[in-house]
Amino acid sequence: MGKYSGTKNSVIFFAGAFTSLTLIWSYFLFFSASSNFAITGLLHDKEPVKKCSGLDMQFDPPEPGFYDDPDLSYSIERSITNWDEKRYQWIESHPSFKPGLENRIVMVTGSQSSPCKNPIGDHLLLRCFKNKVDYARIHGHDIFYSNALLHQKMNSYWAKLPVVKAAMLVHPEAEWIWWVDSDAIFTDMEFKPPLHRYRHHNLVVHGWPNIIYDTQSWTALNAGVFLIRNCQWSMEFIDTWKSMGPVSPDYKKWGPIQRSIFKDKLFPESDDQTALIYLLYKHKELYYPKIYLEAEYYFQGYWIGVVGGFANVTERYLEMERQDDTLRRRHAEKVSERYGAFREERFLKGEFGGRDSRRRAFVTHFTGCQPCSGDHNPIYHGDTCWNEMIRALNFADNQVMRVYGYVHSDLSKTSPLQPLPFDYPNDPW
Amino acid sequence: MGKYSGTKNSVIFFAGAFTSLTLIWSYFLFFSASSNFAITGLLHDKEPVKKCSGLDMQFDPPEPGFYDDPDLSYSIERSITNWDEKRYQWIESHPSFKPGLENRIVMVTGSQSSPCKNPIGDHLLLRCFKNKVDYARIHGHDIFYSNALLHQKMNSYWAKLPVVKAAMLVHPEAEWIWWVDSDAIFTDMEFKPPLHRYRHHNLVVHGWPNIIYDTQSWTALNAGVFLIRNCQWSMEFIDTWKSMGPVSPDYKKWGPIQRSIFKDKLFPESDDQTALIYLLYKHKELYYPKIYLEAEYYFQGYWIGVVGGFANVTERYLEMERQDDTLRRRHAEKVSERYGAFREERFLKGEFGGRDSRRRAFVTHFTGCQPCSGDHNPIYHGDTCWNEMIRALNFADNQVMRVYGYVHSDLSKTSPLQPLPFDYPNDPW
């Protein structure tokens, strides 16, 4: 039995209390000029409303900070020094941003500035963006979408580095910047990355150390989704990382060097992912202690290993909901995290989210599908890519729309939605 | 001279203070296990961090609230009663949501569930969504995108009503739901709607009473952008409004009735906009007191009257920035509102944002362009629609990207962005 059903007595008591409350309230309403004062009117006798209303977005002290330093540049070509002190100083002068600082995340994603070659490409990008906005809203993260190059030379897979660097500078209130490729879809809207696990690290990617150090494969990690701490170490790491990119005079030489070590690397030019693996491989003592290679759950999961399991995992999650009425309880979207935490505690403890886990894949990444260009890896049939992306999007959207009272009864069918009966999935359809 | 330049003395003093701070700080860093503790480590001796970190998204009391009532339905076909009491009760049992309640907005937008017929359509929808997400992030609003019908019959321009109703129920923490059509673009990222002006009203739309009551035109207001208060009045209004829609048994009869009064109405079927005007026209005493027809600024502006002015308005705003260094000051995006408020106070007081105003159009609505279907009003050339939408998007994006250190130097060119010099627009390029 869930916590909620454990309070039957208080339910009865409350029912009575609520009735009388309603009577008094209706009376009050009768005399209030307009019902819309009913709620907002309450606040005036309440205390530290302003002081405590979260972030003070209208306050920026006149005393100069790092933004007032003419030598500070947002460009990927210029280095940032003493960022920890600068960021610390900003936070000290903007105290309303201190609460929750350790866990504050700004998500960053993006895509090309022109229409996609693939006729369904922009539709898929739009829905992938909606999916990220849904996840960000449910968990209170800010999200920024970039659809223009910040540096002409830093294009395709290198475009993210100038954006991530600029986002770090413009969001000193955020401890983490979370880059998520446009073709990566959140398929567990409840799950939160275990930030405490990364407290001694500054960069988190999905990967496997043995494949870097023993096998030397360019797929030892995936650079399409990463958490990077907003600190000086990261600024310097991005400087080093980008020095293997098109902005560097040595760009041409890096492709062959990467390929000489990582033999399975696909394209001849230096790419951001192989560059990252190269740094971990060549300078293990320097970087490995600060880069967390996450493989215990799908920090990002290869779609081929995930999409086949949507039906089973849906059934497993419905089974949890049949077992515990707390999970069947309707609620405001703003408190969805409470139910995610409850499911975690009651059903998913110690469940690593890999293959064959009871846990849903957190992020399903359509690597190789190239939805925008449509130039997918020849080993996949294009339609398989697009159809599975739609199914993944609707699988995720079911977790969102359920709170709004609706569900996609068929993952391949986006619209119309089906209304959910009360106490679903216990009630028969 | 601006506030900032008025603090030259404190600048000198602060410079010294900052240097010594830096020394002490570097020393501290030297002994801290890892630089990423430098900032987060601070918080542990600070006080009511948890209590004051804004919204408690993990708390939902076990006592039953309205969500636990089996008779409460999210469907557009079922009515909601006593919503003010229910919402009040929710807020009372979730006190962390009280601060800032009066001004809390959830923005809602959306588009069709399938790819657009117009080849550039989904690209434009993606960029229009980014534009709304940018505005929402800068002002701390939540945003929800709907791309599926909640009720099969309530399609096209009627689809918004079921979504808005569901959003009201799922977001009791929000005082306002702000519907914005997919083809409406925020072209002033600083401006905030004057909610205090609407404190006695429950619905805000752009419109003109004389055109409703004297001219009887179906364009007397635009229903593509509206603020609706999250209260019982609105629930009942949506019930009445939707009763002229496809979900109603009388749907067929309403088209002719609307056309008999509003002779210029384009299509024969009953539409949401004419339905809204009809209610204001037929039941003035009942609805007009609660519906604010905003025309003092572009709460939503017809694109034809706006896009030609982008060059002039850009120059006017740059001129303000040349005149006052506060507006040239770089800052964190989170405190952008402070600079918007400053510009408002110093330069735009008493400037109504209509045609020929110094003020930028707040929202530019591409009415008649139909970017997704491409079936634009024959009076426009399609390319004009798409090109002007791109210009409007880049005009808005310049206000966003400037904070990230970049600008679109040509409104027709999305990428690459140009880096901005320090103290822009004072420094020469």
Side-chain angles (χ1 to χ4, degrees):
Chain A
M1 297 296 279
K3 282 177 183 164
Y4 168 40
S5 58
T7 61
K8 285 268 182 290
N9 302 347
S10 58
V11 171
I12 297 148
F13 160 77
F14 196 82
F18 182 47
T19 319
S20 33
L21 172 76
T22 314
L23 289 170
I24 298 155
W25 190 243
S26 325
Y27 185 75
F28 172 75
L29 280 180
F30 185 76
F31 288 99
S32 75
S34 138
S35 65
N36 54 55
F37 284 156
I39 289 162
T40 56
L42 288 171
L43 295 171
H44 302 142
D45 54 355
K46 290 273 176 292
E47 248 335 303
V49 166
K50 229 31 317 40
K51 201 182 144 301
C52 205
S53 64
L55 313 175
D56 186 349
M57 294 170 69
Q58 299 234 352
F59 173 72
D60 200 26
E63 292 72 25
F66 67 83
Y67 290 112
D68 304 300
D69 169 8
D71 296 331
L72 181 118
S73 163
Y74 299 91
S75 164
I76 192 73
E77 294 189 271
R78 302 271 306 278
S79 297
I80 300 289
T81 54
N82 303 320
W83 178 236
D84 295 323
E85 296 85 327
K86 287 167 178 164
R87 205 187 141 216
Y88 165 73
Q89 179 216 357
W90 187 92
I91 287 154
E92 279 300 300
S93 60
H94 298 79
S96 76
F97 291 90
K98 280 186 188 179
L101 175 66
E102 302 104 312
N103 300 324
R104 193 170 295 126
I105 293 172
V106 171
M107 193 181 294
V108 180
T109 180
S111 59
Q112 67 181 47
S113 55
S114 51
C116 293
K117 201 178 76 195
N118 183 15
I120 197 182
D122 283 301
H123 174 71
L124 292 170
L125 291 183
L126 173 65
R127 298 196 54 188
C128 287
F129 184 32
K130 167 193 156 51
N131 165 264
K132 294 175 180 75
V133 169
D134 285 334
Y135 181 87
R137 186 184 64 252
I138 289 166
H139 297 284
H141 305 319
D142 276 332
I143 177 165
F144 173 77
Y145 198 97
S146 169
N147 64 347
L149 296 177
L150 270 54
H151 190 295
Q152 185 153 18
K153 287 184 177 171
M154 295 290 274
N155 55 14
S156 74
Y157 34 72
W158 287 102
K160 69 186 95 160
L161 294 189
V163 180
V164 167
K165 184 208 176 140
M168 286 166 71
L169 286 170
V170 177
H171 292 282
E173 82 284 357
E175 179 67 16
W176 294 98
I177 301 295
W178 193 355
W179 172 267
V180 186
D181 273 359
S182 60
D183 59 352
I185 295 169
F186 286 90
T187 42
D188 188 340
M189 305 305 275
E190 284 178 342
F191 187 77
K192 292 159 67 81
L195 295 180
H196 56 87
R197 189 188 292 178
Y198 313 135
R199 67 193 178 283
H200 299 297
H201 293 78
N202 296 331
L203 178 62
V204 184
V205 288
H206 199 110
W208 303 268
N210 60 309
I211 302 183
I212 299 176
Y213 299 107
D214 309 340
T215 323
Q216 286 115 52
S217 163
W218 86 294
T219 59
L221 60 78
N222 185 295
V225 180
F226 60 80
L227 272 166
I228 189 161
R229 191 182 296 275
N230 194 359
C231 66
Q232 179 62 24
W233 181 95
S234 304
M235 289 291 184
E236 290 169 14
F237 188 76
I238 288 172
D239 277 347
T240 313
W241 195 355
K242 73 111 194 334
S243 67
M244 279 182 261
V247 72
S248 155
D250 309 329
Y251 175 55
K252 290 261 164 298
K253 86 170 197 216
W254 281 111
I257 295 174
Q258 289 172 2
R259 259 195 155 162
S260 69
I261 303 165
F262 308 100
K263 304 265 188 299
D264 60 347
K265 172 172 156 57
L266 279 183
F267 9 78
E269 313 77 33
S270 167
D271 68 282
D272 67 312
Q273 178 164 304
T274 315
L276 177 54
I277 299 170
Y278 175 86
L279 291 174
L280 274 163
Y281 178 77
K282 272 282 177 191
H283 309 287
K284 184 174 183 178
E285 64 302 324
L286 191 59
Y287 295 121
Y288 189 55
K290 287 289 163 203
I291 300 178
Y292 195 105
L293 296 174
E294 182 60 87
E296 270 192 0
Y297 66 92
Y298 282 122
F299 180 71
Q300 75 87 49
Y302 181 36
W303 65 283
I304 289 288
V306 174
V307 296
F310 284 150
N312 287 343
V313 81
T314 301
E315 193 34 56
R316 282 201 300 274
Y317 274 61
L318 287 175
E319 194 44 48
M320 300 173 199
E321 288 148 22
R322 289 189 199 95
Q323 282 176 48
D324 196 316
D325 50 11
T326 298
L327 294 178
R328 298 196 301 274
R329 194 178 182 201
R330 303 192 297 191
H331 52 79
E333 188 182 55
K334 271 279 174 228
V335 297
S336 291
E337 282 200 339
R338 177 251 186 279
Y339 295 89
F342 179 81
R343 192 198 299 270
E344 194 66 32
E345 179 65 24
R346 169 103 160 73
F347 290 103
L348 295 170
K349 254 186 168 175
E351 271 286 333
F352 300 132
R355 201 185 287 263
D356 312 325
S357 162
R358 293 180 70 204
R359 191 189 286 284
R360 295 185 283 230
F362 180 36
V363 172
T364 304
H365 192 176
F366 284 78
T367 315
C369 279
Q370 306 292 337
C372 190
S373 68
D375 303 332
H376 54 81
N377 186 319
I379 65 175
Y380 318 128
H381 189 288
D383 287 348
T384 312
C385 276
W386 326 143
N387 296 340
E388 293 300 339
M389 285 182 82
I390 296 288
R391 290 181 70 246
L393 287 162
N394 287 338
F395 176 79
D397 201 45
N398 272 347
Q399 300 163 43
V400 178
M401 292 314 295
R402 176 178 182 156
V403 175
Y404 289 76
Y406 294 87
V407 70
H408 305 272
S409 48
D410 172 352
L411 291 185
S412 310
K413 188 156 173 266
T414 298
S415 184
L417 290 152
Q418 298 302 315
L420 276 175
F422 182 78
D423 203 37
Y424 175 81
N426 259 24
D427 276 9
W429 282 68
Chain B
M1 296 296 281
K3 281 175 183 166
Y4 168 39
S5 57
T7 60
K8 284 272 180 291
N9 302 346
S10 57
V11 171
I12 296 148
F13 161 76
F14 196 82
F18 182 49
T19 322
S20 31
L21 172 74
T22 315
L23 289 171
I24 298 154
W25 190 242
S26 327
Y27 186 75
F28 172 74
L29 280 180
F30 184 77
F31 287 99
S32 74
S34 137
S35 65
N36 53 57
F37 283 155
I39 290 163
T40 56
L42 288 171
L43 295 171
H44 301 144
D45 54 357
K46 290 270 175 294
E47 245 336 302
V49 166
K50 256 290 111 313
K51 201 181 144 299
C52 206
S53 63
L55 312 175
D56 185 351
M57 296 171 67
Q58 298 234 351
F59 172 71
D60 200 26
E63 292 72 25
F66 67 84
Y67 289 112
D68 303 300
D69 169 8
D71 296 332
L72 181 118
S73 163
Y74 300 91
S75 164
I76 192 74
E77 295 188 89
R78 301 273 305 277
S79 297
I80 301 290
T81 55
N82 303 320
W83 178 235
D84 296 324
E85 297 84 331
K86 287 169 177 162
R87 205 187 141 216
Y88 165 74
Q89 179 216 356
W90 188 92
I91 286 154
E92 279 300 298
S93 60
H94 298 78
S96 76
F97 290 90
K98 281 185 186 179
L101 176 64
E102 302 104 312
N103 301 323
R104 194 170 295 127
I105 293 173
V106 172
M107 192 180 294
V108 180
T109 181
S111 60
Q112 67 179 48
S113 56
S114 50
C116 294
K117 202 178 73 194
N118 183 15
I120 197 181
D122 283 300
H123 174 70
L124 293 170
L125 290 183
L126 173 65
R127 298 195 55 188
C128 288
F129 184 32
K130 167 193 157 51
N131 165 265
K132 294 176 180 76
V133 170
D134 285 334
Y135 182 86
R137 185 184 65 252
I138 289 164
H139 297 283
H141 305 319
D142 276 332
I143 177 165
F144 173 77
Y145 198 97
S146 169
N147 64 347
L149 296 177
L150 270 53
H151 191 294
Q152 186 151 22
K153 287 183 176 171
M154 294 291 273
N155 54 15
S156 73
Y157 35 71
W158 287 102
K160 69 186 94 159
L161 293 189
V163 180
V164 166
K165 185 215 176 131
M168 286 166 70
L169 285 170
V170 178
H171 293 282
E173 82 285 358
E175 180 66 15
W176 294 98
I177 301 295
W178 193 356
W179 173 266
V180 187
D181 274 358
S182 60
D183 58 352
I185 295 170
F186 286 90
T187 43
D188 187 342
M189 305 305 275
E190 283 178 343
F191 187 78
K192 291 159 67 81
L195 295 180
H196 57 86
R197 189 188 292 178
Y198 313 135
R199 66 192 178 284
H200 298 298
H201 293 77
N202 296 331
L203 180 62
V204 184
V205 288
H206 198 109
W208 304 267
N210 60 309
I211 301 182
I212 298 176
Y213 298 107
D214 310 339
T215 323
Q216 287 114 52
S217 163
W218 85 295
T219 59
L221 59 77
N222 185 295
V225 180
F226 59 81
L227 272 165
I228 189 163
R229 191 181 297 276
N230 194 358
C231 66
Q232 180 62 24
W233 181 95
S234 305
M235 288 290 184
E236 290 168 13
F237 188 77
I238 289 172
D239 276 349
T240 313
W241 195 356
K242 73 107 188 351
S243 67
M244 279 181 262
V247 73
S248 154
D250 307 329
Y251 174 55
K252 289 262 163 300
K253 87 172 195 214
W254 281 110
I257 293 173
Q258 289 172 4
R259 261 195 156 163
S260 68
I261 302 165
F262 308 99
K263 304 264 189 294
D264 59 347
K265 172 173 154 59
L266 278 183
F267 9 79
E269 312 77 32
S270 166
D271 69 282
D272 66 314
Q273 179 163 303
T274 317
L276 177 54
I277 300 169
Y278 175 87
L279 290 173
L280 275 161
Y281 178 78
K282 271 283 175 189
H283 309 287
K284 184 175 183 177
E285 62 303 322
L286 193 59
Y287 296 122
Y288 189 54
K290 287 289 164 204
I291 300 177
Y292 195 104
L293 296 174
E294 182 60 86
E296 271 193 358
Y297 65 92
Y298 282 122
F299 180 71
Q300 73 89 49
Y302 181 37
W303 64 284
I304 290 287
V306 174
V307 295
F310 284 150
N312 288 340
V313 81
T314 301
E315 193 35 55
R316 283 201 300 275
Y317 274 61
L318 287 175
E319 194 43 49
M320 298 173 202
E321 289 148 21
R322 289 190 199 94
Q323 281 176 49
D324 196 315
D325 50 12
T326 298
L327 293 178
R328 298 197 299 275
R329 194 178 181 201
R330 304 191 298 190
H331 52 78
E333 187 182 57
K334 271 278 173 233
V335 297
S336 293
E337 281 199 341
R338 177 251 185 281
Y339 295 89
F342 179 82
R343 191 198 299 271
E344 194 66 31
E345 179 64 26
R346 170 106 160 70
F347 291 102
L348 296 170
K349 254 188 168 170
E351 271 287 334
F352 299 132
R355 202 184 285 262
D356 311 325
S357 162
R358 294 179 70 206
R359 191 189 284 286
R360 295 185 282 231
F362 179 36
V363 172
T364 304
H365 192 176
F366 284 79
T367 316
C369 279
Q370 306 293 337
C372 189
S373 69
D375 303 334
H376 53 81
N377 187 318
I379 64 176
Y380 319 128
H381 191 288
D383 287 348
T384 313
C385 276
W386 326 143
N387 296 340
E388 293 301 339
M389 284 183 80
I390 297 288
R391 290 181 70 246
L393 288 162
N394 288 337
F395 176 80
D397 202 44
N398 273 348
Q399 300 164 44
V400 178
M401 291 314 295
R402 175 177 184 157
V403 176
Y404 288 77
Y406 294 87
V407 69
H408 304 273
S409 47
D410 171 352
L411 290 186
S412 310
K413 189 155 173 266
T414 297
S415 184
L417 289 152
Q418 299 302 317
L420 277 174
F422 182 77
D423 203 37
Y424 175 82
N426 259 23
D427 277 8
W429 282 69

